Amino acid sequence: MSFPGVLVRNWRLKITALALAVLLWVTMRLTDDRIDRLSIPGVEVRVEHVHRDWFLRQPPSPASVQMSVTGPVGDILRVAMSRPAIVIRVDTVAKEDTVLTLLHDWVTNIDRSSVDIENFQPSTVRLLFERNQEEEIPVSVRLTGELPDSLAMVSEPRANLLFTRVRGPASQVDALETVFLEPFDLSRVTGPGRFEVPLDTTGLGGLVVNPTTATLAVEVATRRSRVLAPLPVEFRGGDGTLEPDPARVGVTLFGAEEVLNRVDTAGIRVWIGAEAAAVRVVVAQEGLARVPLVLGGLPARVVGTVEVDSVTVRAGEVP
């Protein structure tokens, strides 16, 4: 019979025998009381606690070390299989760049009564800290969507939370100018009310924000209209040589009634939205020009329309 044939014959029985042999060897080693020395590579170094005034900027360097232990063969093998780790608690920080000598007491997952830790390679670890900082940061409102056509704003939506306390690494806190509320959709408003809106902490990383919600007051009322007396059409740069037709146009304002009643119409203007020089060229060539109108000077929370969106411009009469 060929050699390969010998291997294949009764292969299940042979594998079982091999497994039993390995198990027997491991058991014998674990019960071996002879004193020996073992170097365990890749022992993780981690920091599980840092004083609240400080922040660990990056993982320890190095992130793992080699640890040498001595003791009965069975016990040191158990240590190797228990995946020991070096866990550091930092209750005080003397400076941002700190080098610590690794201590035997920091090793976890081993029975110290049966084995001794000889040394670590390397024997020190470098930790980079940054001081935590806490500041009051302004809170800003973000609005999306539009109110239903039947409603108008009485005043700007305001949050009861003007500032929120933000805590974290000083470099991140210093760079933070404001904390926004989650966008509030005006299209879902059906009347005046108070709405709970969370702060948007997306992108703030490890910063801690408190409080994390605000109440947004939205004051709205039924949308009304107010018709103004016809306003003159201004032609900036026209120098009186060009005349708009019509020379006055009607304007209608829309908003909440109490807002419309406070509007100072003296600041509202209608003017031609085209350069005088360009209009003058067209009038010289064709005798007239059709130009758009612009409505300006409207106060906040008021919208307006002009009865016509454009006027005709002709050359004025020479006195």
Side-chain angles (χ1 to χ4, degrees):
M1 182 179 295
S2 64
F3 181 71
V6 172
L7 291 178
V8 173
R9 185 178 180 184
N10 298 323
W11 62 271
R12 290 187 178 85
L13 181 61
K14 292 173 181 177
I15 290 177
T16 301
L18 177 61
L20 290 174
V22 171
L23 179 60
L24 179 61
W25 181 85
V26 170
T27 302
M28 291 176 64
R29 296 291 288 176
L30 291 177
T31 56
D32 193 340
D33 291 333
R34 291 175 299 165
I35 301 300
D36 203 347
R37 182 176 182 274
L38 178 66
S39 293
I40 305 173
V43 176
E44 180 189 8
V45 179
R46 63 177 183 263
V47 176
E48 290 193 346
H49 169 82
V50 178
H51 189 277
R52 68 184 305 273
D53 290 340
W54 295 87
F55 169 79
L56 188 63
R57 290 170 51 188
Q58 61 188 46
S61 178
S64 64
V65 298
Q66 178 175 288
M67 181 176 70
S68 296
V69 295
T70 59
V73 172
D75 291 332
I76 62 176
L77 287 176
R78 290 188 186 92
V79 168
M81 291 187 295
S82 67
R83 300 183 62 83
I86 300 172
V87 178
I88 304 173
R89 290 179 57 88
V90 182
D91 294 320
T92 59
V93 176
K95 56 182 180 179
E96 293 185 351
D97 191 343
T98 299
V99 176
L100 297 178
T101 299
L102 297 176
L103 301 180
H104 297 176
D105 290 342
W106 294 345
V107 180
T108 64
N109 296 340
I110 70 170
D111 183 1
R112 297 290 300 280
S113 64
S114 59
V115 298
D116 293 321
I117 299 173
E118 285 194 340
N119 57 55
F120 303 103
Q121 292 294 332
S123 61
T124 61
V125 63
R126 185 185 185 194
L127 304 178
L128 295 179
F129 297 99
E130 183 176 344
R131 185 173 289 278
N132 272 328
Q133 181 172 314
E134 185 172 300
E135 285 189 13
E136 287 191 337
I137 304 296
V139 173
S140 298
V141 176
R142 284 188 296 179
L143 303 175
T144 61
E146 300 290 340
L147 285 173
D149 292 339
S150 60
L151 297 176
M153 283 288 181
V154 175
S155 60
E156 286 299 315
R158 295 183 180 275
N160 67 333
L161 187 64
L162 299 181
F163 295 88
T164 186
R165 299 197 68 82
V166 178
R167 181 178 179 81
S171 59
Q172 295 183 42
V173 175
D174 286 340
L176 194 61
E177 296 181 357
T178 188
V179 177
F180 288 98
L181 295 182
E182 292 280 358
F184 181 79
D185 186 2
L186 292 174
S187 65
R188 66 188 181 98
V189 174
T190 58
R194 304 289 186 269
F195 303 87
E196 292 297 315
V197 183
L199 274 68
D200 186 358
T201 58
T202 303
L204 295 186
L207 296 179
V208 178
V209 179
N210 185 44
T212 58
T213 60
T215 299
L216 186 66
V218 180
E219 300 295 335
V220 296
T222 302
R223 190 174 192 245
R224 305 294 186 186
S225 63
R226 177 182 173 184
V227 179
L228 305 184
L231 300 179
V233 176
E234 301 176 9
F235 194 4
R236 301 172 180 178
D239 299 329
T241 60
L242 299 173
E243 295 181 351
D245 180 23
R248 304 179 75 89
V249 293
V251 173
T252 302
L253 305 181
F254 299 91
E257 185 172 6
E258 61 181 281
V259 176
L260 293 178
N261 291 339
R262 296 195 301 265
V263 172
D264 180 6
T265 59
I268 299 177
R269 297 281 188 273
V270 178
W271 65 87
I272 290 174
E275 293 291 336
V279 175
R280 191 173 286 109
V281 170
V282 175
V283 171
Q285 294 175 348
E286 303 183 13
L288 55 84
R290 193 72 180 175
V291 293
L293 294 179
V294 177
L295 176 63
L298 297 175
R301 298 176 297 282
V302 172
V303 296
T305 60
V306 184
E307 62 180 342
V308 293
D309 60 5
S310 60
V311 295
T312 300
V313 174
R314 296 184 175 86
E317 294 182 2
V318 179

